[in-house]
Amino acid sequence: MAGIAIVGLQWGDEGKGKITDYFASQADCVVRYQGGNNAGHTIVIGERKYKLHLIPSGVLQNKKVVIGNGVVVDPAVLLKEIEMLRQHNIEPDLMVSDRANVIMPYHRMLDGAEEALLGSKKVGTTKRGIGPCYSDKIARHGIRMRDLLNEEEFREKMERIMPIKQRILEVYGLEKIDEEKLIEEYLAYGKELEKYIGDTIYFLNSIIDEKEVLFEGAQGILLDIDYGTYPFVTSSSPVTGGICTGAGISPKKIKRIIGVAKAYVTRVGMGPMPTEEKGEIGDFLAEKGGEIGTTTGRRRRCGWIDLVALRKFARVNGPDNWNITKLDVLSAFDTIGAVVGYTLDGEEIFSLPSRSEDQERIVPIIEEFEGWETDISEIRSYEDLPEKARNFLNFIEDETGVRVKYIGVGASNDAIVIK
Ligand code: GDP
Ligand code: IMO
Ligand code: MG
C-alpha cells in the first residue's frame, strides 16, 4: 500500500475536506502534517455539516487519524473538537505527535498584537497564534505535546521561556501572564490528552507499507511560507514536500498526489490575488459559491481560475490528477473566465514573480468561455456533463499538463463526478 497526498493548489478552502472524506472510505489512516486550527475543512454528509479545524477529516469515516509532528496544536481547541465529535457519536481513534508544538496563550496574544501594529499592512491572519507558535518552534522556544505530560519538566521549560515571553508582552503593551495559572491549565490539558499522545513517526512508518495512509493538506501552496505570496502567507509548508518533514515520511512512500483546485479562485485575508474580480463578477461568485470562511466567517475574495499559477505550482507539488471543485457554481454564469497569462508593465510574464509588490501589479490575460447555464449538481457521470463544461475542464488539463479526475458538483460528500 502507500501514501496518498491531498494538497491545495490555491489559497486554501479548495475543498480538501470533502475529497479527503471521499478517499478516507478506502484508507486506513488519515494524517494532518502542517498548519493548525487556522484550517477549516467542511464535510457535508446527508443533512449534517461538519467543520473540522484540527482533527483529520477521516475521523468522520471512523478511520485512525493522526496529527503529525509538523502541526501546531491548540490543546483547548483539540479537546473541544473531540467533544463535538462525541456529540455526534464519533469517538476519535486519534494519535497526536509527541513532537507537535503547542499553541500557548501568548502566541494568540502576539498574533493579535502584531496584526494590530501592522494596521492596514496586516496579513489578515486567523489570529489563532499560528505564526508566533511556528516562530517559537524555529527559535527553539517551543513547548511540545510531550512536555505537557511531565510536571517537573514542563515547569522547568516554562521557567526557561517565560522571562522572554513576559518581556515581549510588555514591549507590546500586553498584560503579563499569570504563569502558575497557565502551567496548571496546560498540565490539565496534558492529562486529558495523554492517551492520544505518542510517537506518530514510528507508528506511520510501521504501517505505511501495508496500509493506505492519506495525508490531508491544510491551506494551499499560495499560502506556503516559501512558495506563496509572501509575506501574505501562513507559517507552514502546505506543499507536498511538507508531508515528509511534517509527518516523518520518506518521499518514496508518497505514491499518489491529488491536487485540489476550485473552478475559480478565492482568498481570505490580505495580499496579492492577480485574478481577483472586485466588481459584480466577484460578488456573484461569492454569493453563488457561499464564499464565507469556515474558520473566521470572513467573506472570501473571488476571481477567475488562475491557470498560470496552477501550471507553475503543479510542477512544485507534482499532482497526478486534479480534483476541480465547485464546478456547479459556474453554472450561474453565461460567460466564464480563465486566466491564461500575466502581463507586468506591459510585458508578458510566464510565472508568478516572487515580490508581492510585483504580484499586486499583475494584469491578467483572461480567456472567455461560453457558460453551460444548466444545473449540474445532480450529475454523477462525466459523459452527462454539458459539453461546454467538459471543454472547460479539458482546457484546464491542456494549460496545466495535469489530468482532471475528480470533479465537484455540489457540497454534499457524494456530489463528485469521476472522469
Ligand atoms: P477546505 O478548507 O479546502 O477543506 O475547504 P472549505 O471547507 O474551507 O471550503 C470549501 C467549501 O465549499 C465548503 O463549504 C464545502 O462544503 C464546499 N464545497 C466543496 N466542494 C464543493 C463543490 O464541488 N460544490 C459546491 N457547491 N460546494 C463545495
Ligand atoms: P484551509 O485548510 C484559507 C490564511 C489567513 C491569512 C493567512 C495567514 O481551510 O484551507 P494564519 O492564521 O495562518 O497565520 O493566517 O493564511 N489562511 C487560510 N485561508 N484557508 C485556510 O485553511 C487558511 N489558513 C490560513 O486567512 O490570510
Ligand atoms: Mg477551509
Side-chain angles (χ1 to χ4, degrees):
M1 295 292 238
I4 301 179
I6 309 264
V7 287
L9 262 288
Q10 294 159 331
W11 281 282
D13 300 331
E14 298 90 350
K16 299 175 293 294
K18 179 182 150 187
I19 194 74
T20 301
D21 173 78
Y22 173 81
F23 273 90
S25 61
Q26 305 292 322
D28 298 287
C29 177
V30 186
V31 186
R32 278 275 309 268
Y33 58 92
Q34 46 70 231
N37 60 309
N38 48 349
H41 296 182
T42 317
I43 300 106
V44 181
I45 304 176
E47 300 287 291
R48 285 225 168 108
K49 190 189 247 188
Y50 298 89
K51 291 180 181 184
L52 293 163
H53 299 287
L54 214 38
I55 297 182
S57 300
V59 74
L60 303 178
Q61 302 276 348
N62 287 303
K63 298 298 164 128
K64 174 99 189 168
V65 283
V66 171
I67 294 179
N69 53 280
V71 177
V72 287
V73 179
D74 188 324
V77 173
L78 180 56
L79 284 164
K80 244 198 201 156
E81 207 156 280
I82 293 170
E83 192 45 47
M84 180 275 286
L85 290 164
R86 282 191 184 134
Q87 278 172 11
H88 289 105
N89 295 318
I90 298 167
E91 187 58 46
D93 182 5
L94 168 71
M95 191 172 185
V96 183
S97 171
D98 47 2
R99 294 169 192 249
N101 272 65
V102 180
I103 297 181
M104 305 295 282
Y106 45 79
H107 292 139
R108 287 190 300 268
M109 291 161 77
L110 291 170
D111 197 348
E114 283 171 9
E115 285 282 276
L117 279 174
L118 287 168
S120 64
K121 304 249 186 300
K122 69 183 176 186
V123 176
T125 73
T126 59
K127 298 196 184 151
R128 301 299 193 261
I130 306 292
C133 185
Y134 276 116
S135 303
D136 268 1
K137 172 179 176 172
I138 300 299
R140 294 151 296 176
H141 294 163
I143 294 291
R144 310 208 286 188
M145 289 305 287
R146 177 66 182 79
D147 298 331
L148 305 181
L149 304 184
N150 182 311
E151 176 163 358
E152 202 178 320
E153 282 172 24
F154 183 52
R155 284 184 181 279
E156 267 174 34
K157 290 196 168 141
M158 292 302 282
E159 254 172 50
R160 173 175 176 258
I161 292 162
M162 281 314 285
I164 303 173
K165 292 299 154 199
Q166 299 285 32
R167 178 66 67 84
I168 291 173
L169 293 175
E170 197 184 319
V171 170
Y172 277 97
L174 296 168
E175 216 173 295
K176 254 184 123 180
I177 284 183
D178 180 335
E179 285 179 38
E180 187 52 34
K181 222 171 117 191
L182 185 153
I183 288 171
E184 280 170 20
E185 181 187 343
Y186 276 69
L187 284 171
Y189 294 145
K191 276 211 176 78
E192 280 194 80
L193 292 170
E194 185 163 12
K195 65 175 173 180
Y196 302 114
I197 299 171
D199 185 346
T200 54
I201 302 166
Y202 178 81
F203 171 72
L204 289 173
N205 282 288
S206 72
I207 65 164
I208 198 156
D209 290 329
E210 281 84 45
K211 307 239 158 139
E212 193 158 291
V213 180
L214 206 53
F215 296 95
E216 177 180 3
Q219 291 84 50
I221 196 167
L222 284 160
L223 289 170
D224 185 282
I225 190 74
D226 285 287
Y227 309 109
T229 47
Y230 191 89
F232 302 96
V233 293
T234 191
S235 300
S236 69
S237 304
V239 62
T240 316
I243 295 171
C244 301
T245 49
I249 289 293
S250 159
K252 289 181 185 162
K253 303 287 177 190
I254 300 163
K255 297 288 191 276
R256 197 166 170 212
I257 302 167
I258 308 295
V260 191
K262 267 181 201 170
Y264 48 101
V265 287
T266 64
R267 159 160 221 178
V268 222
M270 315 289 280
M273 183 176 176
T275 71
E276 181 170 14
E277 288 285 342
K278 288 189 172 140
E280 262 176 30
I281 292 175
D283 290 344
F284 200 48
L285 277 168
E287 185 201 322
K288 291 290 164 194
E291 295 299 350
I292 302 292
T294 308
T295 299
T296 55
R298 289 176 289 177
R299 145 86 142 85
R300 295 173 182 148
R301 298 153 63 194
C302 298
W304 296 127
I305 193 165
D306 184 343
L307 297 174
V308 181
L310 277 189
R311 181 168 54 224
K312 171 172 182 171
F313 292 119
R315 290 181 182 155
V316 179
N317 261 319
D320 297 290
N321 294 114
W322 289 125
N323 167 212
I324 299 296
T325 66
K326 304 190 97 163
L327 189 67
D328 53 303
V329 174
L330 297 186
S331 303
F333 289 82
D334 53 8
T335 308
I336 294 164
V339 172
V340 293
Y342 295 156
T343 60
L344 185 65
D345 302 328
E347 288 204 13
E348 189 167 4
I349 53 168
F350 299 93
S351 175
L352 188 72
S354 61
R355 295 168 70 237
S356 63
E357 292 82 354
D358 289 337
Q359 292 162 0
E360 287 283 8
R361 292 186 303 113
I362 284 171
V363 178
I365 302 168
I366 302 177
E367 186 141 331
E368 288 191 339
F369 291 77
E370 239 180 80
W372 46 92
E373 295 183 89
T374 11
D375 181 9
I376 58 168
S377 60
E378 299 300 325
I379 292 177
R380 294 292 177 270
S381 109
Y382 183 74
E383 287 67 35
D384 292 341
L385 283 174
E387 195 184 352
K388 287 172 183 161
R390 283 186 274 135
N391 287 344
F392 183 66
L393 295 169
N394 288 340
F395 188 75
I396 294 174
E397 290 191 341
D398 292 344
E399 287 289 305
T400 59
V402 177
R403 295 276 153 254
V404 173
K405 185 153 175 81
Y406 306 94
I407 302 141
V409 292
S412 168
N413 68 337
D414 63 354
I416 296 180
V417 170
I418 298 173
K419 185 181 173 191

